[in-house]
Amino acid sequence: QVRLVESGGGLVQAGGSLRLSCAASGRTFINYAMGWFRQAPGKEREFVAGIAWGGGSTDYADSVKGRFTISRDNAKKTQYLQMNSLKPEDTAVYYCATALRPFGTSRRESDYNDWGQGTQVTVSS
């Protein structure tokens, strides 16, 4: 349905910043929410942040509140994750995803229909 491509990952020292981008293409006539998940080695994939179609509603995992900011540009069909004050525990593969819902956000993996291939974020101490 939707093709998603992440970019912006890399290696950064603790306390540094990265900005992830996720460009979407394909069938977008149905409104959709967008979000970010991450998976660290040996751990399950977890919710990071979500944003509604209109951008007015956002949601963040407690572990990233105050440090990460999610945003979107519907004209460019792109979502962003600005990550500040990065910690070694933020090291993970970050995935963007879209959910076929016209309003609100979701933390449930099952609500997301399309996923990117992921981008590696490594935070060194």
Side-chain angles (χ1 to χ4, degrees), residues 24-42:
S25 62
R27 299 175 63 184
T28 56
F29 291 127
I30 300 175
N31 293 346
Y32 56 92
M34 303 187 79
W36 292 91
F37 292 76
R38 69 186 182 187
Q39 186 169 25

Side-chain angles (χ1 to χ4, degrees), residues 3 10 12-13 40 75 79 85 87 92 105 111 114 118 121:
R3 178 174 175 265
V12 64
Q13 292 185 343
Q79 68 167 320
S85 301
K87 305 175 181 179
T105 63
D111 284 344
D114 296 283
V121 172

Side-chain angles (χ1 to χ4, degrees), residues 48-76:
V48 176
I51 187 167
W53 168 253
S57 297
T58 58
D59 187 29
Y60 298 93
D62 289 342
S63 59
V64 306
K65 285 183 178 179
R67 300 189 297 119
F68 291 9
T69 302
I70 188 172
S71 62
R72 65 189 296 165
D73 185 336
N74 286 349
K76 296 182 178 180

Side-chain angles (χ1 to χ4, degrees), residues 1 16 34 37 44 47 55 65-66 74 89 91 110 114 118 124:
Q1 292 286 322
M34 303 187 79
F37 292 76
E44 298 293 322
F47 171 81
K65 285 183 178 179
N74 286 349
E89 50 263 46
T91 295
S110 61
D114 296 283
S124 62

